[in-house]
Amino acid sequence: MRTPLCEQFGIDHPIFAFTPSEHVAAAVSRAGGLGVLGCVRFNDTEELERVLTWLDDNTDGKPYGVDIVMPMKIPTEGTSIDLKAMIPPDHVSFVEQTLLKLGVPPLPEGEGREGVLGWLHSVARSHLDVALQHRPVLIANALGSPPKDIIDTCHEHGIQVAALAGAAKHALSHVANGVDIIIAQGYEAGGHTGEVASMVLTPDIVDAVGPDVPVLGAGGIGSGRQVAASLALGAQGVWTGSIWLGTEEYRGLGSNSEAWETAFTRATSSDTVRTRVYTGKPARLLKTKWTEAWAEDGAPSPLPMPLQNLLVAEAHNRISASNDPDVISMPVGQIVGRMNAVRPVAEVVAELVSGFEDAVARLDEIRG
Amino acid sequence: MRTPLCEQFGIDHPIFAFTPSEHVAAAVSRAGGLGVLGCVRFNDTEELERVLTWLDDNTDGKPYGVDIVMPMKIPTEGTSIDLKAMIPPDHVSFVEQTLLKLGVPPLPEGEGREGVLGWLHSVARSHLDVALQHRPVLIANALGSPPKDIIDTCHEHGIQVAALAGAAKHALSHVANGVDIIIAQGYEAGGHTGEVASMVLTPDIVDAVGPDVPVLGAGGIGSGRQVAASLALGAQGVWTGSIWLGTEEYRGLGSNSEAWETAFTRATSSDTVRTRVYTGKPARLLKTKWTEAWAEDGAPSPLPMPLQNLLVAEAHNRISASNDPDVISMPVGQIVGRMNAVRPVAEVVAELVSGFEDAVARLDEIRG
């Protein structure tokens, strides 16, 4: 399975794997894809520095990428304390009461109260500064075009810039801003996503940006058949995320591995929900008692980004520590219905490749 | 492009075309696909009788199918007047006020006040009785498994039964009920649809029902690339609907052709909405001032099927007569974004086939 992206990045398969785990990212890169490390979880740049050094040392010299979360327009930003003052008390009380009702205990004194700060612009920018000291070949931005100076800096370092888009007009604007690669993020994808499904979105974007801009299909891709479908739609590669949450290498990230494994192995494709409760922007999550509580009559509307994530940050830590498969806050796509066992990364990559080949062989036969 | 369905139905391409227009259905069948006539619009069985006779005479002996709308469980059903008594006055008044606000004039005295009755079980059953006097090779049911006696009757007449499914568990239940072919109706599809997108739904259903039950991919299919994607996902054929609303042969059905053409040619993939306002069950429609009025604060919740359709039936006639591209009530899928010109049916079929071949050629090259 080779497209021009393989030569461009020095990879064997045009399979891009977004993951918050350096162990998954390294394993994907070693298996011939491109592991892309999600940086949003790193509040501490020194930890990111250590992790990227580990990646440099554990990818057998193969390339990798990093993923940041940054709006193009640099927001006015106070400290985390200033922002917290903007959160209405009723929201705080709803979160507390919901956790109580769902049986999620408080954290032990002094433990993990800090939320994820990677949603803040200043923190995302520090991620990039650290990354530039290492050897990423790709910087992907989950919120579309990054600011112009970031794109320029990446290009000066020989790093390609990718950005997610949920509609053709956004893809066109990314290209106009200097973005090199568009990730066509379909409705079925985990995390931030729009309303247009991959079957329609991928060719929309491929045709809008033209043949000189590579497009990665994202959303609903967990098997080789889906890779074949995405490439049939005109993508030059695939951007995958959810499936890596079901791998052996992902285990151990966070404290609720056991609850998460129970939850994802039993979930069907219908057990996700697109909601603003995670970050303030629509994102697809596993449907659990936590997301359902926010959908009940009388629940408050989620706050805008970045306030919503600050609001629920401690709740996420408590939910994670409680290790309850019925109460989970986890971005995941509709492909969760097919994540029914924990597999090694290399096995998943091998199936994506061989399943692609089988699908093409079947199509050949149909064509006659 | 040949799959076992081609031999089974005596067609050249496994392209199934749902359409309310006999002219479109005949043209698709003549072009080597299978035209499937939607019967829900026929209040008068004599009109359906005439139309099916026309189809018999205008398909060059090629096969065709019919589509009915029938829940498996036979509902207790009063007359249309009894049912109308169950509609709350506030709903009636909302509809009237909305039409007034949107500038939709009343119908001339004595014209077209009757709504579409095909949603009523007794009417759908009469459609089948009429169809059995003709030569359909397929009966498709938009609401899943039809009642058992209907499936048996079709089989006695050598007619295959297809049913729409939006989740793997529904597909399994259809097969257990005796349905022969499953239409995997993805989120992006027009009309009644579930929440799982085709990229995930098609392989879910293909694997659930096993190799002996043919699956048609539905939702988001308007080009040969999308046909290739659907077949890559394991479908044996495709079920298309929206694209035929943009053909020359469709023109003249209903009175608002001009407004509809303006509306669909300018719509993007983002200009649809999944809502209960058409029938009471979630269905994807073109997003217009009419659907937006129902989404406003203070708008009533749509009524359950079949009440909602009775409620809005006259409104649909008025909207149609007003010929305003901003106020349209039309089921259509996200593929509407690619319906940018009115084309003859034969040209659309030819592109589906040649585009499929081009996509397979590209995949062959990627496989190497």
Side-chain angles (χ1 to χ4, degrees):
Chain A
M1 189 192 339
R2 290 192 71 81
T3 70
L5 290 172
C6 294
E7 191 146 350
Q8 188 173 347
F9 287 115
I11 54 181
D12 296 331
H13 322 296
I15 296 169
F16 293 68
F18 165 80
T19 172
S21 159
E22 65 273 23
H23 297 281
V24 172
V28 170
S29 287
R30 288 196 307 268
L34 192 85
V36 181
L37 183 73
C39 291
V40 78
R41 72 180 172 91
F42 295 95
N43 289 352
D44 177 1
T45 51
E46 285 180 22
E47 192 192 350
L48 178 60
E49 169 62 33
R50 278 192 300 275
V51 164
L52 288 177
T53 302
W54 184 91
L55 258 185
D56 288 334
D57 294 343
N58 286 275
T59 34
D60 296 351
K62 303 272 177 79
Y64 63 84
V66 299
D67 181 277
I68 54 176
V69 180
M70 201 180 271
M72 185 171 77
K73 199 168 149 239
I74 300 168
T76 321
E77 185 175 291
T79 65
S80 158
I81 291 161
D82 293 339
L83 286 167
K84 275 187 181 156
M86 296 168 68
I87 296 177
D90 282 356
H91 278 74
V92 176
S93 136
F94 171 79
V95 168
E96 190 53 41
Q97 281 166 22
T98 300
L99 293 173
L100 197 66
K101 203 172 70 178
L102 299 180
V104 177
L107 293 173
E109 256 329 295
E111 235 181 65
R113 289 189 180 278
E114 196 173 43
V116 168
L117 303 178
W119 308 106
L120 299 181
H121 190 85
S122 54
V123 177
R125 201 166 266 266
S126 74
H127 292 154
L128 184 75
D129 292 340
V130 174
L132 291 176
Q133 306 306 313
H134 295 268
R135 52 172 184 80
V137 294
L138 177 77
I139 302 279
N141 186 27
L143 294 183
S145 298
K148 174 93 174 65
D149 71 295
I150 301 246
I151 298 179
D152 292 343
T153 305
C154 288
H155 288 166
E156 284 158 20
H157 284 75
I159 298 170
Q160 296 269 298
V161 178
L164 267 72
K169 65 178 176 186
H170 299 150
L172 283 172
S173 135
H174 297 343
V175 172
N177 293 332
V179 167
D180 306 293
I181 296 174
I182 303 297
I183 301 166
Q185 172 90 338
Y187 169 81
E188 55 275 74
H192 292 129
T193 182
E195 297 212 55
V196 184
S198 294
M199 185 67 88
V200 173
L201 182 68
T202 302
D204 265 9
I205 290 184
V206 165
D207 291 352
V209 301
D212 295 338
V213 180
V215 173
L216 304 178
I221 299 173
S223 73
R225 287 177 295 189
Q226 287 150 333
V227 174
S230 185
L231 300 187
L233 294 170
Q236 284 198 22
V238 294
W239 178 263
T240 52
S242 302
I243 41 165
W244 313 108
L245 301 173
T247 59
E248 286 176 7
E249 286 83 347
Y250 180 72
R251 276 179 171 157
L253 194 73
S255 52
N256 65 341
S257 293
E258 209 182 314
W260 168 239
E261 284 180 26
T262 303
F264 79 69
T265 50
R266 75 185 177 191
T268 75
S269 312
S270 302
D271 294 326
T272 70
V273 60
R274 184 171 171 269
T275 166
R276 295 200 301 111
V277 308
Y278 199 76
T279 66
K281 287 184 188 285
R284 186 173 300 286
L285 309 182
L286 189 70
K287 193 192 284 174
T288 70
K289 288 181 179 172
W290 169 249
T291 59
E292 286 180 330
W294 283 90
E296 276 175 19
D297 281 345
S301 284
L303 300 170
M305 184 180 273
L307 297 181
Q308 179 67 15
N309 198 265
L310 287 171
L311 169 67
V312 295
E314 188 181 333
H316 285 174
N317 290 337
R318 285 172 61 179
I319 286 171
S320 185
S322 77
N323 207 31
D324 176 356
D326 293 334
V327 186
I328 286 200
S329 180
M330 178 67 109
V332 74
Q334 293 185 336
I335 196 67
V336 71
R338 304 308 284 271
M339 292 162 52
N340 304 123
V342 177
R343 295 183 292 166
V345 162
E347 189 181 309
V348 176
V349 173
E351 194 288 323
L352 291 173
V353 175
S354 67
F356 166 81
E357 288 167 358
D358 293 347
V360 177
R362 200 173 55 250
L363 289 174
D364 276 337
E365 208 174 305
I366 291 172
R367 181 184 48 181
Chain B
M1 189 191 342
R2 290 192 71 80
T3 70
L5 290 173
C6 294
E7 189 144 353
Q8 188 174 345
F9 287 115
I11 53 181
D12 296 331
H13 322 296
I15 296 170
F16 294 67
F18 166 80
T19 172
S21 158
E22 66 273 23
H23 298 279
V24 172
V28 170
S29 287
R30 288 196 308 266
L34 192 84
V36 180
L37 182 73
C39 291
V40 78
R41 73 178 172 93
F42 295 96
N43 289 351
D44 176 0
T45 51
E46 284 179 25
E47 192 193 350
L48 178 60
E49 168 62 32
R50 277 192 301 275
V51 163
L52 289 176
T53 301
W54 184 91
L55 259 185
D56 288 334
D57 294 344
N58 287 276
T59 34
D60 297 350
K62 301 270 179 79
Y64 63 85
V66 299
D67 181 277
I68 55 175
V69 181
M70 202 182 271
M72 186 171 75
K73 201 167 147 243
I74 300 168
T76 322
E77 186 175 290
T79 64
S80 159
I81 291 160
D82 293 339
L83 285 166
K84 275 187 180 155
M86 295 168 68
I87 296 176
D90 282 358
H91 278 74
V92 176
S93 136
F94 171 80
V95 168
E96 190 53 42
Q97 281 165 23
T98 300
L99 293 174
L100 197 65
K101 203 171 72 182
L102 299 179
V104 177
L107 292 173
E109 256 330 293
E111 234 183 67
R113 292 193 176 276
E114 195 173 46
V116 168
L117 303 177
W119 309 104
L120 299 181
H121 190 85
S122 54
V123 177
R125 201 167 267 266
S126 75
H127 293 153
L128 183 75
D129 292 340
V130 173
L132 290 176
Q133 305 306 313
H134 295 268
R135 53 174 184 79
V137 295
L138 177 78
I139 302 280
N141 187 26
L143 294 182
S145 299
K148 174 93 174 65
D149 71 294
I150 301 248
I151 297 178
D152 292 343
T153 303
C154 289
H155 288 165
E156 282 158 22
H157 285 75
I159 298 169
Q160 296 268 298
V161 178
L164 267 73
K169 67 179 176 185
H170 300 150
L172 284 171
S173 133
H174 297 342
V175 172
N177 293 332
V179 167
D180 305 294
I181 295 174
I182 303 297
I183 301 165
Q185 170 92 337
Y187 170 82
E188 54 277 73
H192 292 128
T193 183
E195 297 212 54
V196 184
S198 293
M199 186 67 92
V200 173
L201 182 68
T202 302
D204 265 10
I205 290 184
V206 165
D207 291 352
V209 301
D212 295 338
V213 179
V215 173
L216 304 179
I221 299 174
S223 73
R225 288 177 294 190
Q226 287 150 332
V227 174
S230 186
L231 300 187
L233 295 170
Q236 285 198 21
V238 294
W239 178 263
T240 52
S242 303
I243 41 165
W244 311 109
L245 301 173
T247 59
E248 287 177 6
E249 287 84 346
Y250 180 71
R251 276 179 169 161
L253 194 71
S255 51
N256 65 340
S257 293
E258 208 183 316
W260 168 239
E261 284 180 26
T262 304
F264 78 70
T265 49
R266 75 185 179 190
T268 75
S269 311
S270 302
D271 294 326
T272 71
V273 60
R274 185 171 169 269
T275 166
R276 295 201 301 110
V277 307
Y278 199 76
T279 67
K281 289 183 188 284
R284 184 173 302 284
L285 309 182
L286 188 70
K287 195 192 282 176
T288 71
K289 289 182 179 171
W290 169 248
T291 59
E292 287 180 329
W294 283 90
E296 275 175 19
D297 282 344
S301 285
L303 300 171
M305 183 181 275
L307 297 181
Q308 179 68 15
N309 197 266
L310 287 171
L311 169 66
V312 295
E314 189 182 332
H316 286 173
N317 290 337
R318 284 172 61 178
I319 286 170
S320 184
S322 78
N323 207 30
D324 176 355
D326 294 335
V327 186
I328 286 202
S329 178
M330 178 67 109
V332 74
Q334 293 184 336
I335 196 69
V336 71
R338 303 309 283 272
M339 293 161 51
N340 304 124
V342 177
R343 295 184 291 166
V345 162
E347 188 182 310
V348 177
V349 173
E351 194 288 323
L352 291 172
V353 174
S354 68
F356 166 82
E357 287 168 359
D358 293 347
V360 177
R362 198 171 61 249
L363 289 173
D364 277 335
E365 207 175 305
I366 292 172
R367 182 184 47 183

